[in-house]
Amino acid sequence: MPRKISLLFCLSALALLLTAGPAQATKTSRMLAPGSVCKNQTNLSAPLAAQEQAILCMTNFARRKAGMGRFGGHEKLNHSAVRKGEDILRCNSFSHYACDRDFTYWLEALDYTDGCWAAGENLAWGTGDYGTVRSVFRAWMNSPGHKSNILSNNFSQIGIGLRVGSLEGHPDARVWVQHFGDRC
C-alpha cells in the first residue's frame, strides 16, 4: 500500500514567538485572521469546541490568503487529534511519539489509513495567554515546518483537538493537535 507520511518537529509556542524574525513576522501577520473573522481567538473560557472551530477558521483564513482552498473537516481526523491530545496529557509527554506511539497510532486505530493516504501533525501547548488560539496559531505560522503543513497542497482534510490538563508540572496546560490528511 503506498502511503506518505509528513512528520514535523514539535514546537514550543513561546520559543517560536521569540525567535521569529521581523520579515517572517510581517508575512505571518497578514495571514492571521482578525478577531472579527474568527471568534474566540483569545477567549480561554470559550467551550473547547468553539476554540477548535477558531483554529479551523484561522487555518482556512491563512490558506485563503495564500490562494489555497479550504480544508474540509474529517470526523476520524478530529477523533485522532483529540485522542493524541489525551495521550500527551495522560503520559505527560509532549511529543509526536507520546505514550511511545507513532504519530499515526490513532489514525491507524480509527481506520483512516486504509488504502492510499497522507498525514501530518502539528502540536503545541501553552498556559494562560500562550495557550490561546491566536498565540498557538501565530507560533505555528512562525515555524516553517508547521506552516508547511497548514499551507500544504498534500492535504485536503483536517482534524483538530484541544485538551486541557496538567503537563510537565503546569496545571491547565492547553494541548493543541492538528491532524492533516488526504485519501488518495
Side-chain angles (χ1 to χ4, degrees):
M1 271 182 248
R3 60 183 177 173
K4 182 169 48 173
I5 301 171
S6 174
L7 176 61
L8 300 174
F9 298 103
C10 298
L11 74 98
S12 167
L14 176 59
L16 289 174
L17 287 172
L18 296 175
T19 60
Q24 177 71 10
T26 301
K27 282 183 179 178
T28 298
S29 67
R30 286 184 285 215
M31 299 184 97
L32 295 177
S36 60
V37 173
C38 298
K39 306 289 185 211
N40 296 307
Q41 292 183 29
T42 59
N43 184 356
L44 294 171
S45 62
L48 297 185
Q51 293 177 64
E52 291 167 343
Q53 182 61 38
I55 281 280
L56 176 61
C57 179
M58 298 283 289
T59 300
N60 282 327
F61 181 89
R63 288 180 63 82
R64 187 173 73 243
K65 285 291 189 178
M68 305 175 76
R70 300 172 57 87
F71 279 133
H74 194 281
E75 186 175 343
K76 289 182 180 180
L77 291 176
N78 280 329
H79 289 309
S80 68
V82 167
R83 298 298 183 273
K84 178 59 168 270
E86 291 169 350
D87 278 355
I88 289 170
L89 290 172
R90 183 172 48 81
C91 294
N92 196 35
S93 173
F94 180 68
S95 168
H96 290 286
Y97 301 98
C99 301
D100 293 322
R101 296 176 171 164
D102 284 338
F103 98 90
T104 59
Y105 176 85
W106 286 110
L107 297 169
E108 293 168 5
L110 295 167
D111 295 324
Y112 185 80
T113 59
D114 291 342
C116 181
W117 56 277
E121 177 175 85
N122 282 353
L123 302 177
W125 78 275
T127 58
D129 290 342
Y130 292 110
T132 65
V133 169
R134 188 162 188 87
S135 179
V136 165
F137 194 77
R138 180 184 295 122
W140 278 337
M141 292 303 287
N142 282 317
S143 163
H146 296 91
K147 183 177 183 178
S148 177
N149 271 348
I150 290 167
L151 300 179
S152 177
N153 283 320
N154 295 325
F155 307 124
S156 61
Q157 302 167 331
I158 192 170
I160 298 166
L162 168 60
R163 286 294 171 258
V164 180
S166 181
L167 181 64
E168 298 179 6
H170 299 277
D172 298 321
R174 308 175 78 69
V175 175
W176 288 94
V177 179
Q178 283 183 317
H179 275 175
F180 303 93
D182 192 63
R183 305 299 307 255
C184 308

